[in-house]
Every structure is written in structure tokens, then in C-alpha cells.
Amino acid sequence: MTRWNEKTSRALIEETHKRGETLTMALRALVDTFGYVDEAAIAPLMQTFARSRAEVLGVIAYYDDFRTTPPGRHVVRLCQAEACQAVGARELTAHICAKTGLSLGQTSDDGALTLEGVYCLGLCANGPAALIDDAPMAELDKDRLDAKLAALKL
Amino acid sequence: MTARVYIPADMLSLALGADEVAKAIAETAKAEDTDIDIVRTGSRGACWAEPLIEVETDAGRVAYGKISKNDVPGLFDAEFLQGGTHEKSLGLTEDIPYLKNQQRFIFKNCGLYDPCDIDAYEAHGGFAGLRVALQKSPKPITEEVQISGLRGRGGAGFPAAIKWRTVLGAEDPQKYVVCNADEGDSGTFSDRLIMEGDPFRLIEGMVIAGFATRAKNGVIYLRSEYPIAKTVLRKAITRAKAAGWLGTNIKGSGRTFNISLFVGGGSYVCGEETALLESLEGNRGIVRAKPPLPAYEGLFGKPTLINNVITLCAVPDILAKGGAWHASLGTGRSTGTMPFQLSGDVKYGGLVEVPFGMSLRALLDDFGGGTRSGLPIKAVQIGGPLGAYLPPRLFDTPLTYEAFAALGAGLGHGGVVVFNENTDMRAQARYAFEFCAHESCGKCTPCRIGAVRGAEILAKDAPDLALVEDLCEVMIDGSACAMGSMTPVPVQSAITHFPDDFAAQPQKMAQ
């Protein structure tokens, strides 16, 4: 992830608009680059896409992917959906929450780890599944997940 | 002779270490001074055997299943490059019963070659449908789709030809073809597999749809949870353009069709077609009232054809082989094949493409092979989070749209999730409400409020089931889209088929 900066942010917003793309695509570009949408990007988004502040904030709030605060240095997204439930995702989630002291959606105080739920990664035949810093994981159990977390050196 | 090794690079195989396997094989071959050619492919869909690697031999491709990098030295010792026997041998790939007993056409090439190798696609019959379409005017193309009996594979099962004809008939210089690749249902991954494994098939289907409706612009709405599909599709679109199968004046026909890729924001309800359009337009993914239908007023108010990935992927063969060929597969008004997806607590999970009509039990027994845990099956959920929970006594139901509609259930997008006897069906029913509360777009009250109240009632030690029934009725009758009107399907089916699980007993706090 790139550290947020005004110049890149403005360039991303303008490029999106020039390509004839919409507000959601600009937000996607910002999140893919910085990991979140900084408050300072709101005004340029309003101007570029001719939308009110309420509209821009409303769109950001609607989508799970569009965070407004920086994520942790590592992000663990555990699948919470039915196919993974059927093979122990609930227990695995409880385990990692207890281990890290975080509930889903929280970031640790030192900014090292964000824990999130995700609804289906399409790895359903080999659950429980997760994304750890964008790397897909499948056939997880407590030991494998603990080992993956340990490898992150939080 | 250079040995050729095929190693999948789809998201599941990567999750299970396929890159490490490829690296170890390349390094070992180099150390042994052996020439090899590693081809990274899509998945064959036998998820239980992933990473499944294959070696080209004179007899055909030989497969080895569930390979980790630790198996690599042993594979070389067993001379796997010549197809040697190893404890993880699966024999000739084409003879693996799981694959052999399927009747594939949509997925027939998935796993055979590098997904972005456009020459390989063409060599395996690719673009044959588009070649036929290039010789036809729009109307005969839609007629072929009508003869095929193709119904939307996204979940609703709506006849594809009706949408196609409506968009063709709508007079407007600007029309769109939108591919719904927001495959959000838990237990489904067929869209992912085909996009990662054979993306030109989707591109071909979309171009044909564009010709059939006189639309010049296509958009793929891809969910953000599928990063590998994004990379593969981007590359495939670029290559299709370079090869003249996409863009202006396609293969000298004077016809134009472009495709752009849009990545969603992690919202389940954006799989609903009007919410998807709102999302594309840069708004909150809130469902629109229908009418007007998107076929008349869709993306940016223009006539828009919206089809699911698999629906569009069925089209090339329909053009190439004729609608009548497609109509001859399946049964009744459920024509063609369906790529079912087995998941959850199942021994042999994966993709099973068979004609409609096989019984659910045959799918679970002959392909699924029982549970992974070894425990008896308590229920299966078919058709995603809005699908019914069915008990074993209904497993003889044939897999057709009609038979499942008669049960008050649906096939949805073909996902079949297996639950073992330890499953608390009340927890599953409560989850259905919780998921709806999390994903509801908030436009209509029955869904927005009903889901929250439903979850609250089921969290009580002694739930008032009459109240749940009332609530479900309101949600079914009063919701604007399937999110609200079908959340009662898993809830009511769980209550009907597993009443014992709903008796009064202390409930754990929600997580």
C-alpha cells in the first residue's frame, strides 16, 4: 500500500473521471492504492463527480470495501458464509478473535492487524477459507491459521 | 523431449500452495538438468484433488492429486515426468471418474491450457460460435437462443431469449451488455472457475450477445473477492482485442463490441441486477423499482442486457452446435447442463457439470462421496444464502428448476452446501436473518427491519415461531427484491424440516 498523499489521490480521481468512469470506480482506485479513502479526498471527489458531500459519504458507507481509516499493516479476512460454517468457520473465528483480542472489523491498537469477516471467497469446497494480505488460504484449521499468523511477525 | 507439466493457477490452487509446487518442480528439474515446460492452467474443478498437477504422456495426461511442495522430490523419484506411478497418482486425467462421469460443455476446456492463450482457446474450438454469429443478423441469433431453451444461470432461471429479444427490440443507439460476475452466494464458485480458467469463453459469449442486441459496449461487474479473476480477465480482454475478436470492426465484419471490467465494493445485494446497475453508475447499490425493466431502461437509462457469467458462457456452443442440440440436453423446461458446485462438509467437493435431471442424491453420493468428516448428512442448502435447507428424505428430487420450485426451493446458481448431523439448524436460520440484516440495501422496510427482528426472535431461548412465520410472510410479499423476499426460504425450510432444532433452549450470545 502507498501512504496517503494529496497529489496521488487527486491524480487517481482525475484519471478515473477522464476515462468516463464513475464515483465507485474512483473510490476503488483510492482503496486499491492507499487501503482506505482519506477524509481529504472527499472534497476533490465532490467537485470532480459533481456530487454532494452526503452522496459521497453515503456511497463510501454503503460498501464494505471502502474503509475510511487505514487498515492494519496486515489484514486477515475470514470467510463467515455457510459453506465455511459447515466445516468449522464459526469455531475458527472464535479462536482467532480470542487469540488476538479483536472482534471482526477491528484493528489492533498498534496498527499491526485488522481482522475482518468476508462473505464468500469462492473457495467453498475447501473451507474454511481466508484472505491474508490478499493471499488466499483454504483448508484452514486452528494450527494452520496460527502458523500463518505467526509468520506475519505481528 | 521436453516434458510438459500442467499446474493450475486458479485462486483455490494458489490457496493450497500451487505456486510453491511449481517453483519446486522448476528448481528440481533445473538441478537435474531436465528440460521441462510448465504450463499454468485453470482448474479442472476437482477441488478435492487440488492442487492437481498433470504431465503430458503418449497415453494422455496423467494426474497427481493434492500435491504439496514436499511431494516434489518423491514425484521426481517416481519419474512422474514420464507418467510414473506415485502414491498420489490419479491415473489418466480423462479417466478420473469424477471428471469422466460429467457431461461438460461449458467447462470442457477448463484446465486444459493457459487461460490467456488465445491460440489454445481457438485450437480447442474457441470462437466457433462467434464465427457463426458473424454470418447472422441479430434476429436469427436470438432465435437460436430461444430454440436452445437457455435459462439464466444466475439464480432466477429466466428465459434468456426473452431478455435478448427485448433489448434487440428497444430502439436506442446506445445499449449495453452487462455480465453479472458478482457471484456472492456461499457455496458457489463456477463463475470464478470459468473466469480464471477459460475467460475467452465469456468474452465470446458477450460479443455474441452484443451482436444479437446491437449493443456496442459490454461491462463485466466482477466482485472484489475474486482478485485472480480480475487479473486473468484484464489480460484476456487485451489479447482478444489484439487478435481482432474484440473492439472495432471485429474480424472485418464492420461490427463493434468493447468490454470493460468493473470491480465491485463487497456488497452481496449488488448481485441483484438493478442494484448492480446503480453500483456501476457510481451510487449506493440500492435496488430499483421494476418496471421499467433494465432491458428498456438499464445502465444510464439505456436498454441493457444483464446475464450471469455461466449463461453467457453457454452461448458460444449454442451458436456453434445449434439451439436444438442444447435443447436436447436436460429435461422438460430445464434444458442444457448445470455446473453444480459441491461444498461444505463433503468428501469430494468441486464442480460437477451435468445435464439437468440427475437426482440430488446421485450428485451427493456418486460425486460428493458423503461427508469429509464422516458424519451423516443432516441437511443440504441449495442455491446460496437464499436457498432452502433440505433433509435427506428429499434427496431423490431431480435437479430441475420445476422439481425444486414444487418444493418451494430453487436451484439458484447451483451451489450445494452439505451440513453434517452436528449442525444446529436454528443457528443456520438465525444466520440467514443476520446475513440479510448485514447485506440489506435498506430500500424497503420488510427487508431492512424484518431481518433484524427475525434474528432477534431466533436468538431468544423460546422463539415465537408464529411470529417468525408472520414476519416471513411480510418479507415475502412486501420486499422489493429477492434479498428480502427469499431470506424466508432458508428460515422456513429449516423450521419445516427440522422442527426439533427450534424447541425452547438457551441460546448462546451472538458473536
Side-chain angles (χ1 to χ4, degrees):
Chain A
M1 287 293 159
T2 311
R3 205 183 163 82
W4 193 83
N5 67 86
E6 176 100 32
K7 198 175 153 217
T8 311
S9 170
R10 279 193 183 266
L12 286 171
I13 294 167
E14 274 161 28
E15 282 162 22
T16 312
H17 187 250
K18 264 190 206 144
R19 284 196 298 267
E21 296 178 352
T22 57
L23 173 61
T24 30
M25 299 188 209
L27 294 170
R28 165 57 57 198
L30 292 171
V31 169
D32 284 350
T33 307
F34 306 118
Y36 75 110
V37 182
D38 195 275
E39 165 66 30
I42 308 293
L45 285 166
M46 290 163 57
Q47 277 162 3
T48 310
F49 292 98
R51 306 284 281 260
S52 71
R53 181 174 170 82
E55 282 177 312
V56 173
L57 293 179
V59 173
I60 293 171
Y62 185 83
Y63 296 95
D64 283 358
D65 287 0
F66 301 157
R67 307 174 54 93
T68 50
T69 52
R73 288 190 294 282
H74 297 287
V75 180
V76 174
R77 304 175 78 193
L78 273 179
C79 182
Q80 301 295 303
E82 291 92 333
C84 285
Q85 289 169 5
V87 285
R90 286 196 182 97
E91 295 75 9
L92 197 63
T93 304
H95 168 74
I96 190 170
C97 287
K99 198 180 165 78
T100 60
L102 300 172
S103 46
L104 295 180
Q106 282 188 330
T107 301
S108 60
D109 291 340
D110 60 1
L113 177 70
T114 295
L115 205 57
E116 286 180 344
V118 61
Y119 291 93
C120 197
L121 296 167
L123 309 177
C124 321
N126 305 64
L131 275 177
I132 301 184
D133 294 336
D134 294 333
M137 305 280 159
E139 296 176 7
L140 287 171
D141 53 28
K142 287 177 188 171
D143 291 343
R144 278 200 73 197
L145 188 57
D146 286 349
K148 297 285 178 193
L149 283 180
L152 296 178
K153 299 192 171 50
L154 295 169
Chain B
M1 200 188 86
T2 305
R4 184 166 288 167
V5 183
Y6 299 89
I7 304 174
D10 71 297
M11 190 164 154
L12 175 65
S13 302
L14 295 178
L16 297 173
D19 276 351
E20 290 79 6
V21 172
K23 190 162 164 261
I25 290 176
E27 284 172 0
T28 310
K30 201 176 171 201
E32 295 189 357
D33 214 16
T34 308
D35 271 349
I36 60 163
D37 177 16
I38 295 178
V39 181
R40 301 304 298 270
T41 64
S43 167
R44 294 273 195 170
C47 299
W48 51 273
E50 294 292 5
L52 179 143
I53 70 168
E54 296 171 83
V55 177
E56 189 99 65
T57 71
D58 291 340
R61 291 192 193 176
V62 175
Y64 303 85
K66 278 232 131 343
I67 299 300
S68 79
K69 64 177 181 204
N70 301 332
D71 294 318
V72 172
L75 284 169
F76 274 89
D77 290 344
E79 300 192 327
F80 83 116
L81 293 175
Q82 285 77 48
T85 306
H86 179 269
E87 57 173 340
K88 294 196 170 175
S89 291
L90 294 171
L92 289 172
T93 314
E94 60 188 38
D95 289 340
I96 297 172
Y98 195 85
L99 298 174
K100 196 178 182 177
N101 295 336
Q102 299 191 26
Q103 222 175 309
R104 291 184 168 191
F105 80 89
I106 295 167
F107 279 87
K108 68 173 184 278
N109 293 338
C110 207
L112 287 186
Y113 43 74
D114 171 355
C116 294
D117 182 345
I118 199 163
D119 296 330
Y121 178 67
E122 213 174 333
H124 285 84
F127 297 118
L130 184 45
R131 278 182 213 281
V132 173
L134 281 166
Q135 307 301 322
K136 291 189 178 209
S137 58
K139 207 162 163 254
I141 302 177
T142 61
E143 279 165 4
E144 211 59 59
V145 174
Q146 187 183 353
I147 293 166
S148 77
L150 179 66
R151 294 170 67 173
R153 301 290 192 250
F158 190 79
I162 296 180
K163 281 189 183 179
W164 287 41
R165 274 203 315 257
T166 310
V167 177
L168 173 61
E171 295 288 336
D172 203 303
Q174 177 67 277
K175 300 184 194 180
Y176 295 97
V177 172
V178 173
C179 167
N180 185 345
D182 195 43
E183 184 179 53
D185 284 0
S186 168
T188 66
F189 44 86
S190 60
D191 295 358
R192 175 179 72 74
L193 286 177
I194 203 80
M195 290 188 289
E196 293 173 348
D198 207 13
F200 293 118
R201 174 172 281 273
L202 174 59
I203 291 171
E204 184 180 354
M206 286 182 75
V207 177
I208 295 169
F211 287 179
T213 55
R214 294 192 201 281
K216 292 187 177 61
N217 288 297
V219 185
I220 300 171
Y221 187 102
L222 178 70
R223 64 198 301 260
S224 63
E225 292 84 351
Y226 286 178
I228 310 298
K230 179 178 78 175
T231 309
V232 174
L233 283 170
R234 281 224 172 110
K235 208 165 155 186
I237 289 169
T238 306
R239 296 210 175 155
K241 263 187 209 159
W245 289 110
L246 198 60
T248 48
N249 194 20
I250 292 171
K251 291 290 168 187
S253 66
R255 295 191 228 184
T256 293
F257 192 76
N258 288 297
I259 295 178
S260 56
L261 183 63
F262 178 95
V263 178
S267 158
Y268 175 76
V269 86
C270 285
E272 194 282 333
E273 59 181 14
T274 61
L276 185 153
L277 294 174
E278 285 293 317
S279 183
L280 279 176
E281 291 182 15
N283 306 321
R284 291 163 70 91
I286 291 181
V287 301
R288 296 176 182 171
K290 289 194 260 191
L293 293 170
Y296 295 109
E297 286 179 43
L299 187 58
F300 300 112
K302 299 295 179 184
T304 304
L305 174 72
I306 309 175
N307 278 144
N308 164 259
V309 173
I310 300 296
T311 315
L312 290 162
C313 285
V315 168
D317 283 58
I318 289 171
L319 267 288
K321 298 175 188 167
W325 160 80
H326 186 267
S328 73
L329 299 167
T331 168
R333 289 183 60 242
S334 303
T335 65
T337 61
M338 184 77 184
F340 291 100
Q341 302 123 80
L342 283 169
S343 71
D345 190 1
V346 63
K347 198 167 178 189
Y348 299 110
L351 182 124
V352 179
E353 183 183 346
V354 286
F356 287 97
M358 172 188 274
S359 75
L360 174 57
R361 193 181 301 282
L363 181 67
L364 292 168
D365 291 352
D366 301 350
F367 288 95
T371 59
R372 204 202 293 178
S373 63
L375 296 167
I377 297 178
K378 179 165 185 172
V380 300
Q381 187 181 27
I382 300 201
L386 309 177
Y389 285 103
L390 301 178
R393 67 180 173 79
L394 295 174
F395 287 179
D396 290 319
T397 308
L399 293 159
T400 66
Y401 290 118
E402 295 81 3
F404 273 75
L407 288 180
L411 294 177
H413 187 49
V416 178
V417 183
V418 179
F419 293 83
N420 66 42
E421 65 175 5
N422 291 338
T423 309
D424 174 0
M425 298 311 294
R426 180 165 155 194
Q428 295 310 119
R430 182 172 149 196
Y431 170 79
F433 279 130
E434 287 167 352
F435 181 69
C436 182
H438 182 265
E439 296 291 348
S440 174
C441 80
K443 185 178 175 101
C444 67
T445 316
C447 174
R448 186 183 67 244
I449 308 290
V452 177
R453 293 290 169 265
E456 284 170 2
I457 298 168
L458 288 181
K460 291 184 175 158
D461 291 348
D464 182 345
L465 294 181
L467 194 56
V468 172
E469 201 53 37
D470 269 2
L471 189 60
C472 286
E473 195 183 316
V474 172
M475 289 177 75
I476 292 166
D477 294 340
S479 299
C481 82
M483 181 85 238
S485 70
M486 287 177 69
T487 287
V489 173
V491 174
Q492 289 177 316
S493 59
I495 295 173
T496 305
H497 300 306
F498 307 93
D500 294 351
D501 286 16
F502 290 82
Q505 56 181 299
Q507 294 296 294
K508 278 188 240 160
M509 292 291 288
Q511 279 173 14

